[in-house]
Amino acid sequence: MRSILALLVVALLSMTLVSGSVVAADGGDTAVVDQVGEEYALIFVEEGGQQEGRLVETTDLPEEGRHENAVLQRVDGEWTYDAAETERRYEAAQNRFDELSEDL
């Protein structure tokens, strides 16, 4: 029960802090998983450089995409895991971190 409350608080704060347009639910969405709880997950849906936080039922996410930073694509109304994009973003973040740490 505590995890649901924590996810709800984070979602409300995130929606307040992250501005963005409402994203149509008819497909073509990209999302990144932020947190995964037993019953709910917090994802950030991306569109046009903007993000919108959403709480979704964990069971609505594909099993392989139920982890932080997983990239999801909405295909025919369902979320699918994009392993290639997840890896690409991870490598880009790691490269950026490595570049920044070289200056130290």
Side-chain angles (χ1 to χ4, degrees), residues 2-90:
R2 230 185 283 175
S3 66
I4 294 171
L5 182 58
L7 280 173
L8 193 55
V9 168
V10 169
L12 291 173
L13 288 172
S14 297
M15 285 187 255
T16 302
L17 296 173
V18 178
S19 63
S21 58
V22 175
V23 179
D26 60 353
D29 296 339
T30 299
V32 177
V33 177
D34 185 63
Q35 297 180 28
V36 179
E38 290 180 30
E39 295 180 38
Y40 296 96
L42 174 62
I43 63 173
F44 284 92
V45 180
E46 304 172 341
E47 182 179 85
Q50 301 293 317
Q51 297 180 346
E52 175 189 333
R54 292 187 189 170
L55 273 181
V56 297
E57 291 186 23
T58 301
T59 56
D60 289 344
L61 304 179
E63 284 189 44
E64 62 274 17
R66 294 179 189 173
H67 60 87
E68 291 179 7
N69 300 319
V71 178
L72 308 173
Q73 300 291 330
R74 183 164 276 227
V75 177
D76 295 329
E78 293 190 25
W79 292 111
T80 60
Y81 177 59
D82 189 336
E85 182 63 10
T86 300
E87 181 66 22
R88 187 196 69 73
R89 290 184 186 201
Y90 172 80

